[in-house]
Amino acid sequence: MPVALPHTSSYYAASVGPEPERPSLDSAISADVCVIGGGLTGVNTALELAERGLSVVLLEAQRIGWGASGRNGGQLIRGLGHDVSGVERWVGKEGVRYLQQAGTESVDIVRQRVKGNDIDCDLRWGYCDLANTASHWKGLQEELQALTAQGYPHPLRLVEKEALHEVVNSSVYAGGLIDMGSGHLHPLKLILAEARLAEAKGAIIFEASPVQRIVHGAKVQVFTDHGQVSASHVVLACDAFLNKLEPALTGKLLPAGSYIIATEPLGAERARALIPQNMALCDQRVALDYYRLSADNRLLFGGACNYSGRDPKNIAEYMRPKMERVFPQLKGVGIEFQWGGMIGISANRFPQIGAVPKAPNVYYAQGYSGHGLNVTHFAARILAQAIAEGDGRAVELFGRVPHRTFPGGELLRSPLLALGMMWYRLRELLG
C-alpha cells in the first residue's frame, strides 16, 4: 500500500536525514546584496557573489532546498528549455548562438562545481530523450543534426526502436536520442552542499525568514516579520513562490505542480533490468513522464504537470498507472515515497532573467519551466557578473526577450492555462 506522506516529504529528504536548522532574521542588518529565496538560484547566486568578495545575506522563508530545488526529478539536462531559435528577432543570430552555448555551459557549471568541491550528490552521466510517436522520432533526428551543427561537445547517439531495450526495458517508445553530456543527481544533496560552500565563503543564510515587503531605492530595504536588511542590490530568487512580492513581475509566471513517486528498493539486478545503463529518461509529450534510478536502486518516476493549482488527493494512486504503463513488469510494486512541488512556468518556456523595471538594482531569475537544475546555475553566474563585476551583457540579453502576462487574473489564470494544455494533449492523442 502507498505510504501517505506530507506534501513536503520526499525520498530526498529521507535519504539525507535531518539538517541543522539555521536561525531566522531577528534584527536590522546590512549587506552588499540581499538574496531572497533559498533554492538553487538563490544559493548559487549567494555563492558566486561571495566568491567575488561581496557581503551577502540570503533570506529563505522555509528551509534551504524546501521548494522544487530540493525535490525535483534530479535530471541534469542540456539546454535552456524551449528552442532558443524562437527568440532570434529579439536577440539576433549571435544572441541565439550564445543562448545555445549557455544551455551547454549551464550543465558544465554543475559538473565543475561537483568535481571541484568533491560534492557527494550521486551524479551519473547519461540521458535519453524518448520518442512517443513517429513525429517525435523525426524531431529527435532533427535535434541530433542541430546539436551536431552547433558543435555540441559530448557524445550523442540515436537509438532505433528495435535497439531501445539497451536503454530502457519498455515497449511504448518509437526510439531515443542518447546524450552523454547530460545526466542525473540527488538535487537536495547538491543544494545543501552548495549552501555550505556559500557560507564557507562568507555568505550569511537565514531560514524561516519570509520576506513581507521590499522598499526600492539606492539602498533597498527588505523586511521580514522580525528583521530588516539594507542592501545595495537585491536578487529575487523565489520562482514559483514569488507571489505578489514584486508587482512588476506578478502574472509573468504560473506555478504548476509536478509529482514524483519512489518505489521500494528494487535491488541492483531488477533495477538494471529496467534501465540497463542507469540513464535519466524523459519522453516528448506535453504531460511528459521523466524517470531514473536512485543510488539505492529505487525507480523515481515523475511527471503529470498540473496547471489547475490543485494537487491529487493521493499522488501514488495518480502516478502508479503512468509508471505501470511504461513498466508493466512493476505492477504492484511497493511505493514508499510520494511527493510533489511547484515549478515556475513562463508563457514562452524561456527563463526570465533581468532587472526590475524602474529598479535597476533589483534583479530576478525565474521561470525555468522544468529545466531549473542546470539553468539556475547559469543564471546565478551571470547575475553575479552583473552585480559584482559590472558586466551585465548576458543579463541584458535575456532581458530583451519579452514575457507575456498570463491572462485571466489571479483567479482565472490557472484554469485558463489548464484548458489550453488539455487542448494540446488532445492534439497529441489525435495526431
Side-chain angles (χ1 to χ4, degrees):
M1 294 289 292
V3 178
L5 296 171
H7 179 73
T8 55
S9 295
S10 72
Y11 160 74
Y12 302 130
S15 61
V16 300
E19 276 283 309
E21 294 185 12
R22 294 173 173 86
S24 59
L25 179 66
D26 61 1
S27 62
I29 60 175
S30 61
D32 293 326
V33 185
C34 179
V35 177
I36 303 174
L40 286 164
T41 301
V43 166
N44 280 279
T45 300
L47 174 55
E48 296 270 1
L49 289 166
E51 286 180 333
R52 289 165 171 79
L54 272 66
S55 61
V56 185
V57 169
L58 186 152
L59 303 175
E60 163 55 36
Q62 303 286 339
R63 302 289 308 279
I64 293 298
W66 178 86
S69 293
R71 42 187 155 124
N72 60 69
Q75 302 214 359
L76 182 63
I77 305 170
R78 70 182 186 275
L80 300 182
H82 197 61
D83 179 11
V84 297
S85 64
V87 301
E88 182 179 334
R89 60 175 163 158
W90 294 292
V91 303
K93 291 185 182 299
E94 283 299 318
V96 167
R97 279 191 283 270
Y98 173 83
L99 295 172
Q100 290 168 339
Q101 293 169 359
T104 301
E105 183 181 337
S106 62
V107 176
D108 288 340
I109 293 172
V110 181
R111 183 196 305 269
Q112 293 157 7
R113 176 136 316 136
V114 170
K115 184 178 180 180
N117 296 281
D118 197 24
I119 296 175
D120 176 14
C121 61
D122 306 333
L123 176 59
R124 294 294 301 261
W125 295 107
Y127 166 75
C128 187
D129 277 310
L130 297 168
N132 302 84
T133 65
S135 176
H136 291 162
W137 174 239
K138 182 180 179 183
L140 293 183
Q141 292 173 306
E142 294 170 350
E143 176 76 355
L144 174 62
Q145 293 173 353
L147 288 169
T148 301
Q150 293 165 24
Y152 186 68
H154 302 288
L156 300 164
R157 179 166 63 93
L158 285 168
V159 184
E160 302 274 354
K161 179 178 177 64
E162 294 73 21
L164 202 55
H165 64 276
E166 300 171 5
V167 178
V168 57
N169 190 8
S170 176
S171 61
V172 302
Y173 302 112
L177 173 60
I178 291 175
D179 170 16
M180 295 308 297
S182 298
H184 59 97
L185 53 74
H186 190 303
L188 186 56
K189 286 184 178 180
L190 176 65
I191 190 172
L192 292 175
E194 291 175 325
R196 290 190 287 268
L197 286 173
E199 290 173 313
K201 294 292 184 179
I204 301 172
I205 298 177
F206 294 99
E207 295 181 323
S209 301
V211 173
Q212 302 301 329
R213 64 189 177 98
I214 300 171
V215 178
H216 296 304
K219 287 283 187 178
V220 186
Q221 306 301 316
V222 180
F223 295 88
T224 68
D225 285 333
H226 305 290
Q228 175 183 347
V229 181
S230 175
S232 299
H233 292 86
V234 165
V235 175
L236 300 171
C238 308
D239 201 48
F241 301 95
L242 179 68
N243 298 321
K244 298 179 180 179
L245 186 60
E246 177 46 66
L249 302 178
T250 299
K252 302 294 185 184
L253 202 64
L254 187 77
S258 190
Y259 308 99
I260 307 176
I261 53 177
T263 68
E264 62 189 354
L266 302 174
E269 184 177 352
R270 193 178 183 190
R272 293 303 182 274
L274 296 177
I275 307 175
Q277 300 180 51
N278 195 12
M279 293 184 176
L281 302 109
C282 182
D283 70 21
Q284 306 299 296
R285 298 173 305 137
V286 172
L288 54 81
D289 294 330
Y290 54 87
Y291 48 92
R292 65 185 186 90
L293 297 173
S294 66
D296 59 352
N297 294 308
R298 302 171 187 268
L299 180 69
L300 306 185
F301 193 97
C305 199
N306 184 349
Y307 299 87
S308 70
R310 298 188 300 273
D311 291 331
K313 291 182 179 178
N314 187 304
I315 292 170
E317 288 182 0
Y318 184 57
M319 294 299 298
R320 179 186 284 277
K322 302 175 187 299
M323 178 186 73
E324 292 181 354
R325 173 182 170 272
V326 175
F327 295 117
Q329 61 270 47
L330 290 183
K331 189 172 181 61
V333 72
I335 295 174
E336 292 193 353
F337 296 93
Q338 53 178 303
W339 70 97
M342 306 304 290
I343 60 176
I345 303 290
S346 57
N348 58 3
R349 300 301 194 274
F350 188 79
Q352 302 173 5
I353 305 172
V356 172
K358 300 182 181 180
N361 58 346
V362 178
Y363 292 85
Y364 62 90
Q366 60 183 29
Y368 305 110
S369 305
H371 275 252
L373 195 52
N374 60 312
V375 185
T376 50
H377 287 76
F378 186 81
R381 180 151 296 178
I382 64 174
L383 288 173
Q385 289 169 347
I387 294 169
E389 302 171 13
D391 183 0
R393 289 175 295 177
V395 172
E396 188 273 333
L397 181 72
F398 276 87
R400 290 184 211 168
V401 179
H403 293 279
R404 297 193 307 273
T405 299
F406 282 97
E410 189 174 358
L411 294 177
L412 294 178
R413 193 170 289 136
S414 289
L416 283 174
L417 185 59
L419 186 63
M421 296 307 293
M422 192 180 303
W423 163 245
Y424 279 109
R425 293 176 193 177
L426 179 61
R427 285 181 58 186
E428 281 184 340
L429 292 173
L430 295 176

